[in-house]
Amino acid sequence: MSAATEPATPAPGAPAAVRDDLAEVAEAAERVLRTAAELDPDGLAGPSLLPGWTRGHVLAHLARNADSLVNLLTGAREGRDIPAYADGDARERGIREGAGRPLDEQLADLAAAQERFAAAAASLPDEAWSSRVRHRSGYLFPASEIPAKRLQELEYHHVDLGAGYTPAHWTAGFAARELERLAARYRGEEGVPAVRLLTEGGEHDLRIGAADGEPELTVEGPVRGLVAWLSGRSDGDGLQVHRGDDPLADPRTALPELPPMA
């Protein structure tokens, strides 16, 4: 593990979930850096799995996302409302300006940004983890959720690099937590029909979409496969879809379109 991604060591009184999330963040960041280091430098300008973004865009975004969360951690530590980004265009500008850099610059920037994030988290007093910080979209959430948000960025965008890391590589714990989170995110979502989600082992029986009426569709599959579909990283390939008691021959054509993750 590189020095840039050593696990942060918050004060002993920090919530256990925060400590666990920070350890996972450090490991996920190290995985991203290893994958990125193996990229063909000439292929950095090639398309990622995100429409309109190259792999360089993805790496630049991951670096600037770390810095945006440092801003939120700093605000929590100082008791101030510090925005994640300086202005409305700062996020897109940082990605755009950083996307075309050579691979060695991208790697150094991402490693340094991750180190800044780890240091900011380690310096946060125990009581500050309960402080409310403001997401770039405007809603407030506790600082204790910042590490989990960083983990989501690293894991989803690692897949988006299109360099061999797939949803099958997600840890079981990450996938299970994301299934619960995304199901809650899309529960009652306007314009999405009611859908029942079942995992193969029966550990999860969840619902998304319209709150009224019985779900017409039941989608069943492995946890990682469900999360990949819910997060927009899969078209549903490998999932089983039933309408009532009838299995569908091509389930991908029946799955509703979901809005982007917030």
Side-chain angles (χ1 to χ4, degrees):
M1 182 172 292
S2 70
T5 53
E6 285 293 332
T9 53
V18 167
R19 297 196 300 271
D20 291 345
D21 286 343
L22 287 170
E24 288 191 58
V25 165
E27 293 169 0
E30 184 68 18
R31 288 194 293 270
V32 172
L33 285 166
R34 284 200 301 266
T35 296
E38 294 173 359
L39 291 173
D40 179 353
D42 294 332
L44 199 59
S48 73
L49 301 184
L50 290 176
W53 274 21
T54 66
R55 288 170 172 162
H57 283 86
V58 174
L59 293 179
H61 167 59
L62 283 174
R64 300 291 71 78
N65 169 260
D67 286 335
S68 76
L69 297 180
V70 169
N71 289 336
L72 297 186
L73 289 167
T74 302
R77 186 178 67 249
E78 298 179 358
R80 297 192 292 131
D81 186 3
I82 298 178
Y85 293 94
D87 56 62
D89 185 52
R91 177 179 179 271
E92 287 70 22
R93 187 170 61 248
I95 296 169
R96 184 173 61 249
E97 292 176 353
R101 297 170 299 175
L103 181 57
D104 59 346
E105 291 185 22
Q106 294 273 21
L107 293 172
D109 181 31
L110 179 54
Q114 179 60 34
E115 185 173 7
R116 289 191 291 272
F117 173 83
S123 68
L124 202 65
D126 302 343
E127 64 276 8
W129 288 108
S130 61
S131 299
R132 309 284 281 184
V133 296
R134 191 178 304 277
H135 190 270
R136 64 183 177 85
S137 63
Y139 72 86
L140 297 174
F141 65 96
S144 58
E145 294 181 9
I146 291 175
K149 290 185 181 298
R150 178 60 177 166
L151 182 62
Q152 291 155 17
E153 294 286 332
L154 288 164
E155 290 292 1
Y156 287 124
H157 289 310
H158 195 170
V159 172
D160 295 335
L161 279 175
Y165 190 84
T166 72
H169 292 96
W170 290 334
T171 67
F174 172 79
R177 291 192 302 274
E178 284 300 288
L179 179 59
E180 295 279 357
R181 184 183 73 86
L182 292 174
R185 158 70 178 84
Y186 294 122
R187 192 172 299 131
E189 180 74 32
E190 185 176 351
V192 176
V195 176
R196 185 185 183 193
L197 304 176
L198 293 175
T199 52
E200 288 178 334
E203 301 92 343
H204 298 84
D205 186 344
L206 304 166
R207 174 173 171 154
I208 64 170
D212 299 329
E214 289 299 315
E216 293 186 7
L217 294 179
T218 297
V219 181
E220 185 175 3
V223 173
R224 292 176 179 85
L226 290 168
V227 174
W229 171 59
L230 290 170
S231 67
R233 269 71 190 177
S234 164
D235 61 3
D237 187 35
L239 300 178
Q240 301 176 43
V241 181
H242 290 73
R243 178 172 280 113
D245 294 328
D246 300 323
L248 302 181
D250 187 1
R252 293 171 297 181
T253 63
L255 292 172
E257 183 175 351
L258 300 175
M261 293 192 302

